[in-house]
Amino acid sequence: MLSGAELNEIEKELRAYSDRKMGCIGALKIVQRHRGWITDEALRDLAGYLEMTPDELDSVATFYPLVFRRQVGRHVILVCDSVSCYNVGYEELLWHLMKRLAIGLGQTTADGRFTLLPAACLGVCESAPAIMIDADVHGGLEPPEKVDQILNSYE
Amino acid sequence: MIKYLLGNIDNPNAAEIEEYEKAGGYRALTKALSMEPEDVIGEVRKSGLRGRGGAGFPTGMKWMFAANDPKFPKYVICNADEGEPGTFKDRHILEKNPHVLIEGMAIAVHALKAERGYIYLRGEYPEAEKSLQKAINDAYRKGYLGFPLHIHRGAGAYICGEETALIESLEGKRGQPRLKPPFPVNAGFFGGPTVINNVETLANLPFIMASGADSYLKIGSPECPGNKLFPVSGHVERPGVFELPMGTTLREIIYEHAGGIKNGRALKAVIPGGISAPVLPPDKIDCPMDFVSVQKYGSMLGSGAVMVFAEGTCLVKVAWRALKFFEHESCGKCTPCREGTGWLRSILERIENGQGREGDIELMEDVAGNIAGNTFCPLGDGAASVALNFIRHFRSEFEDHIGTDCRKMAVL
Ligand SMILES: Cc1cc2nc3c(=O)[nH]c(=O)nc-3n(C[C@H](O)[C@H](O)[C@H](O)COP(=O)(O)O)c2cc1C
């Protein structure tokens, strides 16, 4: 069942739209903010609420990389892998993150703290190489050890 | 030199409505509102403004098509999906000077007699969202906006920057492109006449309306007037966004504004308009950066994003990463793009890994040739021409690479 808090936020989101379905990406993100990811159950409940079929909503949910249909850690690290970042230290940064967290791209640390995912381009190429943790962008991560301090601030 | 897009951003409070007003902000809107919508469109047509989203389509003409369609309601949508790798210019407007965009949208809504406006903002820009939402609230509070204006957030799909995919996504569907025609100006958002313009395009309108088309035509190059934002990244001393007149040469952008190549290295290659624009060798950097000239030099202005590669960069690897991007972002709707981008990526990957085969270059040319012109939307064409142009300008590097492994590291 969707929680009262989730429903409140979703209703607010839908107010801007003439059609309930238009709010579906926003609604998925609201549920995700509350639960970390979109479970099958949440998907079914939300679909009903938006007057969509679960398949229809899932076709949307699975299309967008920032909607998670699998469990992720408490914090999601998006590593920008655009050519601009690759050019100035992406590989060293990714290598360092993988060693430090002992996971590869697409995986979650054993303690459920971090999930490491690739991102096409975060649009901060002037401070490449860059990552985004949750809603925070961190750039200029050269040498890669600069990321260590940053990781410490995400419990 | 006049800077009207990001001229004020050294002021830390530039995003505040009061600062914007102090600098003359919202006077262009007041002027536009006192004019007939047709006359506003006339002024924009006369200005010669061309869309900054990549294709350089004349904005006044696009508006005229939508205005001439008898159907109502009409819509104005701002494309703030900025997903083209190497591009970060719209973000600077959204975060640091959001009112120039909002004023531009209000002018467009008036000119088109539109019912409402949407700003389709990519999901990776939470800072921009905050700044933009505050600016919208302030513009309402001050009474500048007489129509609903809403931010719609995307969720990480590059293809949603393509205008018909954007409309699908806005309607709450998978972001897959629609068949054109009909074009959005006739049948766009929920079938209504819809004008979709890039952030930077709309941000040109306040200057055009305030100073007039004649003043605007004095800036930039004759066929492409106005200023352009050039985001520069890669191996340069000072990466960043530079507001310069259209037609500024690539050389000036790289060596004067971005401070030259990092650590005094030599230039090896440059991509002049975001990852979808064909690469250029160093002997082409006297190219004036406008839509017409860059095409003559064998590439495209695209988003104006300049990506610089110094001597020593492995271009096979760059091409491989570029194709990896296209493969990942292909929406899967049409076969040549879905299969072809992956095929090109896999050939490049084996060449990069030292497992290239005799005939691989010819195979890539064949595959790319079968993608080009056969895809539903320009994403596939972009991927094909990126691959073909890396080969065209740097063929010997690809040939040398077949059978040799130049990787420095064993990641991925
Ligand atoms: C694959 C693809 C991605 C695109 N991404 C963007 C984008 O992120 N932002 C943008 O303004 N235009 C993008 N475009 C161009 C839009 O389709 C459209 O031409 C543009 O928004 C029109 O605005 P303009 O006339 O102001 O340039 C993209 C096009 C394609 C084919």
Side-chain angles (χ1 to χ4, degrees), chain B residues 365-382:
Chain B
E365 287 171 332
D366 184 42
V367 173
N370 278 300
I371 300 174
N374 295 323
T375 60
F376 208 81
C377 89
L379 188 144
D381 290 328

Side-chain angles (χ1 to χ4, degrees), chain A residues 94-103:
Chain A
L94 178 64
W95 188 237
H96 181 80
L97 278 166
M98 293 190 341
K99 263 195 315 198
R100 234 206 89 141
L101 302 173
I103 50 173

